[in-house]
Amino acid sequence: QKTTFHRSQTLGFKNGYAFSRLPREGIGGDTLFANQLSQDELDDLCTKGATLTYGQGKRSAPSCFTPAFVAYDKKVLKFDAYFQEEVPLSAEERYRIRQVGLYYYLEDDSMCIIEPKVKNSGLLQGKLMRRHRVPKNEQGDYYHWKDLNLGINLTMYGRTYRLVNCDSFTKVFLESQGIVVNPPEELVSDPYTEQRRTPVQKPTVPTGPDPFRQFLTYDTKVLRFYAIWDDTNCAFGDHHPCIIHYFLADDTVEVREVHKRNDGRDPFPVLMRRQRLPKILVDKNKNFPSCVLEITDHEVQEWYSPKDFGIGKTLTLLGRTFRIYDCDKFTQDFYREKYGITDFQPVDVNKKPLEKVPQVIPPYNGFGIPEDSLQNCLSLFPKPPRKDIIKMLENNLKVLRYQVALESPVPEDKNRRFILSYFLSDDTIGIYEPPVRNSGIPGGKYLKRTKVTKPGSIPENPIYYEPSDFTIGSTIEVFGHRFIITDADEYVLNYLERNAKSFPAATVQSIRDHFLPRKVVVETASSGIPKKDLNDLIVEVQKELKLQEPFSPRKFHEAFHHFDKEGSGFLDKATFLNICDRFNVPTSTILLKKV
């Protein structure tokens, strides 16, 4: 029924030193008897013999203590190692192998890494890591010589080192400490360094023409070809005349563009600089950036040579297509002597004239004048038709006026009279209707000033009315309305007589015949009879007529016009007397005879 099992304290400190003492109590507080031996101790005493000791017993000498910095002073473990370093910005090497020496100092467990310096290596070599204790992990542990062995990878500060070999002292020390040393490995060399150490083999020049001999033979000798660069496949492309120079000294080609005055192109003299042009390229990887690198002999299977040029041949030089159509005399002699070619007939490269497509004029739509509407078909931005300025200045304010009657089946239009004005400055026609009171028809402008075409003319070739078409009694058709000329202004007669050579004789004679009665009346009224006697006679006739029965002057005038069927303004004596008898005018008086 024991419940406590405490053990008494046997460790104590005195003056800062620890010492052990015998327990005073047993486990659980049991009483311990002094000098009480156990059965095992009693058995040992029975078997032991008594020994005699004279004087004080001698103690053995303590072992010699040697500190670590003394025991391992100048003792270093040396390992041969290497690490791999990436080279991202180089086309000749992707990685680099760097050989280093790893030193472990036993006196303080520190390490350092040293790389042997190589002359002209371009690298920062020497001590890559200073001597210090290298942390092993994030828990605060450090690398110890027990962690080192051959054939293992050692990672320090993000860089992995491969331990491949060690010296004899290191091997003996590790084996003395009970560590099994792995067999050594071969130290890996840098491939780029080994490549540089190998002797460079001189390229074997194939048997062929000597470049220097070719330069001395063909210096200043150039083949000249005349070609056409066809650029019509591109936007705004054209045929560009060019000159191709082939330099026999070094097999280079130069292309120059021929410029003309006012050709609209920038005057760049050289289209392709002098260079060797590849004819057939070697198949290569599509990812190789050849567009930004120079082309070498390893990438070209065949270059352009003089045998590739000739009259009538088509060449593709750097993506441009050229057709050779002629060459100079030196080039002809060169090909005749070297290749035996005798046909040097030039190729005709002149452009064939394009067939002119006839322009189809759409029919006239009736808006405006045909000349003005035609401008919309001739240009994108129509301009007003040109006017004859000389004619406008010479005939300014010259107008021919005619009296016309409307030919219409409507009874109300029979008595309508119009004034047709022909403007000589621009051959336009305007029609005006004088207003008549109580006629029911408002007068005013009937047709604004415009050109009028003759009936039967086509819109493509319109024929307009001219002054020669206006004769007394002729019919004028104006936009579907027919008008008959019944009278004209005296200015018309004077103008036609002044310019009789410019108008037909029938037109001038028609106007003259119309004005002849009026002319005769004027001449008769002014021939030999004094004006005072004529006025007195008119007064006497008016008084005599007033004495007659109710006399209607209007009916009397209508009778005169009725019997004057031709409108000449003349009546014979018999007709005149007959009219007087109808209106009961005495014909036997002396006054009538005077009239």
Side-chain angles (χ1 to χ4, degrees):
Q1 299 179 354
K2 193 172 183 179
T3 57
T4 59
F5 300 92
H6 300 291
R7 298 183 64 181
S8 62
Q9 183 71 17
T10 60
L11 181 63
F13 285 87
K14 187 175 182 180
N15 296 330
Y17 293 93
F19 63 94
S20 60
R21 57 189 177 187
L22 294 176
R24 296 179 180 178
E25 295 179 353
I27 297 176
D30 296 340
T31 302
L32 292 179
F33 299 97
N35 299 327
Q36 185 176 357
L37 301 178
S38 61
Q39 186 64 37
D40 296 335
E41 292 176 348
L42 294 176
D43 294 339
D44 292 339
L45 291 175
C46 292
T47 57
K48 283 186 178 182
T51 59
L52 294 176
T53 302
Y54 298 94
Q56 188 177 0
K58 296 181 179 181
R59 297 181 179 179
S60 62
S63 60
C64 183
F65 173 74
T66 306
F69 63 87
V70 176
Y72 297 112
D73 184 27
K74 298 181 181 180
K75 293 183 179 180
V76 182
L77 304 182
K78 197 263 184 180
F79 294 90
D80 295 332
Y82 70 90
F83 67 93
Q84 180 175 328
E85 182 182 27
E86 294 184 359
V87 184
L89 302 178
S90 177
E92 299 180 354
E93 55 178 345
R94 296 182 180 180
Y95 64 92
R96 185 181 297 120
I97 300 297
R98 301 178 64 173
Q99 301 176 359
V100 297
L102 189 147
Y103 298 88
Y104 186 92
Y105 298 88
L106 295 174
E107 55 180 326
D108 57 355
D109 297 330
S110 60
M111 299 171 62
C112 73
I113 297 178
I114 299 176
E115 180 182 10
K117 291 186 178 181
V118 179
K119 190 176 181 180
N120 297 329
S121 64
L123 301 176
L124 295 177
Q125 297 177 329
K127 185 177 288 188
L128 300 183
M129 188 179 70
R130 66 178 178 83
R131 177 179 172 181
H132 67 289
R133 298 187 68 187
V134 180
K136 180 179 180 181
N137 49 36
E138 296 179 355
Q139 284 73 25
D141 300 335
Y142 295 94
Y143 276 108
H144 196 261
W145 54 264
K146 297 180 181 178
D147 300 326
L148 305 181
N149 202 342
L150 301 183
I152 64 173
N153 293 331
L154 202 64
T155 303
M156 292 181 290
Y157 298 113
R159 182 177 290 175
T160 302
Y161 299 88
R162 181 73 177 182
L163 305 183
V164 295
N165 203 351
C166 64
D167 57 1
S168 58
F169 170 77
T170 304
K171 184 177 181 182
V172 172
F173 177 79
L174 293 178
E175 290 177 349
S176 65
Q177 300 296 329
I179 298 176
V180 179
V181 180
N182 298 329
E185 299 178 359
E186 184 179 358
L187 188 62
V188 180
S189 302
D190 183 25
Y192 179 73
T193 305
E194 295 297 328
Q195 179 183 356
R196 293 291 300 270
R197 289 176 180 175
T198 56
V200 180
Q201 297 181 359
K202 296 183 179 181
T204 304
V205 180
T207 57
D210 187 8
F212 184 68
R213 180 183 182 85
Q214 179 183 357
F215 172 76
L216 296 177
T217 304
Y218 294 108
D219 187 24
T220 69
K221 295 182 180 180
V222 182
L223 304 180
R224 177 178 294 180
F225 301 92
Y226 302 97
I228 290 292
W229 171 30
D230 188 2
D231 192 28
T232 55
N233 294 331
C234 301
F236 310 106
D238 198 0
H239 291 85
H240 304 266
C242 301
I243 297 178
I244 302 176
H245 291 155
Y246 188 93
F247 298 87
L248 296 173
D250 53 357
D251 296 328
T252 55
V253 181
E254 179 189 59
V255 181
R256 290 177 172 266
E257 186 175 0
V258 179
H259 294 280
K260 299 180 181 179
R261 294 187 62 183
N262 300 327
D263 58 357
R265 299 187 179 92
D266 294 333
F268 290 105
V270 179
L271 183 63
M272 296 184 187
R273 65 177 177 85
R274 181 177 175 180
Q275 58 181 317
R276 294 186 69 186
L277 296 179
K279 181 180 179 181
I280 301 176
L281 297 174
V282 179
D283 295 337
K284 57 188 177 181
N285 189 5
K286 295 182 179 180
N287 297 329
F288 187 75
S290 61
C291 61
V292 297
L293 299 178
E294 296 181 357
I295 299 177
T296 60
D297 295 338
H298 302 286
E299 304 169 12
V300 180
Q301 185 174 352
E302 182 180 357
W303 300 89
Y304 273 106
S305 60
K307 64 181 180 180
D308 300 320
F309 295 82
I311 297 178
K313 291 185 178 181
T314 301
L315 306 177
T316 302
L317 307 179
L318 300 182
R320 294 178 175 88
T321 302
F322 297 87
R323 184 184 182 188
I324 301 175
Y325 65 89
D326 200 2
C327 60
D328 60 354
K329 186 176 183 305
F330 172 77
T331 306
Q332 295 178 7
D333 298 339
F334 176 80
Y335 278 90
R336 188 181 295 108
E337 295 176 2
K338 187 168 185 178
Y339 297 101
I341 299 175
T342 58
D343 186 12
F344 299 101
Q345 184 66 26
V347 179
D348 186 11
V349 293
N350 296 328
K351 295 182 180 179
K352 297 181 180 179
L354 300 177
E355 297 181 0
K356 188 175 181 180
V357 179
Q359 186 177 9
V360 179
I361 304 299
Y364 176 57
N365 55 7
F367 293 95
I369 60 176
E371 288 83 359
D372 196 6
S373 301
L374 182 62
Q375 298 299 322
N376 295 303
C377 305
L378 300 180
S379 63
L380 183 61
F381 300 98
K383 299 179 180 180
R386 291 187 177 181
K387 298 180 181 180
D388 192 351
I389 304 299
I390 304 300
K391 183 178 180 181
M392 292 178 64
L393 295 176
E394 291 179 352
N395 300 313
N396 188 25
L397 302 179
K398 293 182 180 181
V399 183
L400 304 181
R401 293 179 177 86
Y402 302 87
Q403 183 180 1
V404 295
L406 181 60
E407 182 181 344
S408 174
V410 181
E412 289 78 5
D413 294 339
K414 290 183 178 181
N415 296 327
R416 298 176 65 181
R417 295 295 181 266
F418 300 88
I419 297 176
L420 187 146
S421 300
Y422 187 90
F423 298 88
L424 296 173
S425 60
D426 54 357
D427 299 329
T428 57
I429 295 176
I431 300 177
Y432 176 79
E433 182 180 7
V436 180
R437 295 182 64 182
N438 299 326
S439 64
I441 299 175
K445 186 183 292 185
Y446 187 81
L447 175 68
K448 73 174 183 177
R449 186 174 172 179
T450 183
K451 287 186 176 182
V452 180
T453 58
K454 292 183 180 180
S457 62
I458 58 178
E460 291 78 9
N461 187 17
I463 302 175
Y464 299 101
Y465 278 108
E466 299 177 353
S468 59
D469 300 323
F470 299 105
T471 59
I472 302 299
S474 63
T475 303
I476 306 299
E477 184 174 346
V478 180
F479 301 115
H481 299 275
R482 298 172 64 86
F483 295 90
I484 301 174
I485 300 177
T486 59
D487 197 359
D489 196 356
E490 291 184 4
Y491 178 78
V492 177
L493 178 61
N494 297 333
Y495 179 78
L496 294 180
E497 288 180 349
R498 285 197 307 267
N499 304 278
K501 295 181 180 180
S502 303
F503 300 99
T507 303
V508 180
Q509 189 62 36
S510 173
I511 302 299
R512 286 175 180 173
D513 294 342
H514 178 70
F515 282 94
L516 181 61
R518 301 180 187 179
K519 188 174 182 181
V520 172
V521 171
V522 172
E523 291 177 355
T524 303
S526 61
S527 60
I529 303 175
K531 188 173 183 181
K532 185 176 182 303
D533 295 344
L534 182 60
N535 293 336
D536 294 343
L537 179 59
I538 292 174
V539 173
E540 291 180 5
V541 171
Q542 291 178 351
K543 290 180 180 181
E544 184 67 27
L545 292 176
K546 289 180 181 180
L547 297 175
Q548 300 295 327
E549 295 180 359
F551 181 75
S552 176
R554 185 176 61 81
K555 294 182 180 180
F556 194 67
H557 286 294
E558 290 179 358
F560 271 94
H561 286 288
H562 177 71
F563 284 99
D564 186 12
K565 298 184 180 299
E566 297 179 358
S568 61
F570 287 91
L571 290 178
D572 54 0
K573 187 176 182 180
T575 307
F576 174 69
L577 296 176
N578 186 13
I579 295 174
C580 292
D581 291 340
R582 286 191 177 188
F583 288 91
N584 298 323
V585 176
T587 59
S588 60
T589 61
I590 299 174
L591 183 60
L592 185 58
K593 292 180 180 179
K594 289 183 179 181
V595 174

